[in-house]
């Protein structure tokens, strides 16, 4: 549970960095959170399925990982050229993982909407929509609240 809370703190810190137009640093912190969340999900999958507390922790980690992917997309979208090498684009595998995770959420949860807005419904639909503002009509405060 402590590892999950540490990831939440990292994502909140990344939101503050992004609000301060320090998106390169925000992406780095988001990636750290994603790595930790991936390890947490893998650990939960290795635990017995009858351990309900661990399974609940794993579900929350998957949801938070999905949020971190959306946060990375927003940070990359807001990234300004700072004279340093450009940041790497997000992998299709990471986007597909976010789509799959968000598709299992309740319809009233805000995350599936953000995932669809950022990445479309599939890799094929995303490639037809070349570079546009990822979350153009979603306020920056939404990213801060993820």
């Amino acid at each position: 549970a402590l590892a999950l809370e540490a990831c939440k703190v990292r994502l909140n810190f990344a939101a503050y960095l992004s609000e301060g137009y320090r998106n390169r640093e925000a992406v780095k912190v988001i990636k750290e959170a994603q790595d930790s969340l991936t390890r947490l999900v893998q650990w939960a999958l290795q635990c017995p399925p009858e351990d309900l507390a661990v399974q609940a922790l794993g579900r929350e980690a998957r949801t938070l990982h999905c949020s971190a992917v959306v946060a990375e997309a927003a940070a990359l979208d807001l990234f300004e050229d700072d004279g340093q090498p450009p940041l790497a684009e997000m992998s299709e595998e990471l986007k597909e993982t976010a789509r799959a995770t968000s598709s299992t959420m309740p319809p009233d949860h805000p995350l599936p909407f953000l995932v669809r807005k950022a990445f479309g419904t599939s890799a094929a639909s995303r490639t037809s929509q070349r570079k546009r503002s990822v979350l153009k009509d979603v306020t920056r405060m939404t990213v801060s609240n993820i």
Side-chain angles (χ1 to χ4, degrees):
L2 188 58
L4 187 66
E5 293 303 317
C7 291
K8 289 178 185 179
V9 169
R10 281 190 183 109
L11 291 175
N12 283 322
F13 180 57
Y16 288 117
L17 290 171
S18 182
E19 287 292 321
Y21 300 100
R22 295 168 58 187
N23 291 308
R24 182 177 295 274
E25 294 169 69
V27 169
K28 182 180 179 215
V29 172
I30 291 167
K31 287 290 194 187
E32 290 171 2
Q34 287 175 354
D35 290 342
S36 295
L37 289 164
T38 298
R39 287 192 305 274
L40 188 57
V41 168
Q42 289 170 346
W43 168 77
L45 289 172
Q46 293 173 354
C47 291
E50 53 274 356
D51 190 340
L52 299 179
V54 170
Q55 298 311 314
L57 191 67
R59 280 191 303 277
E60 189 172 350
R62 278 190 296 281
T63 301
L64 193 57
H65 186 272
C66 186
S67 299
V69 172
V70 172
E72 180 184 358
L76 288 173
D77 190 49
L78 298 170
F79 184 74
E80 296 176 7
D81 187 15
D82 59 1
Q84 296 182 24
L87 296 171
E89 288 290 320
M90 197 178 302
S91 74
E92 280 303 316
E93 180 182 353
L94 195 56
K95 293 175 188 178
E96 201 55 48
T97 300
R99 285 185 199 105
T101 301
S102 69
S103 70
T104 64
M105 294 179 183
D108 61 337
H109 196 286
L111 200 50
F113 169 77
L114 293 173
V115 170
R116 282 191 308 276
K117 193 77 173 155
F119 310 126
T121 54
S122 69
S125 70
R126 182 67 180 142
T127 55
S128 67
Q129 307 167 359
R130 287 314 297 160
K131 195 71 176 163
R132 63 173 172 75
S133 178
V134 172
L135 300 171
K136 64 183 174 185
D137 59 344
V138 177
T139 64
R140 288 177 62 101
M141 290 304 294
T142 303
V143 175
S144 298
N145 294 334
I146 294 177

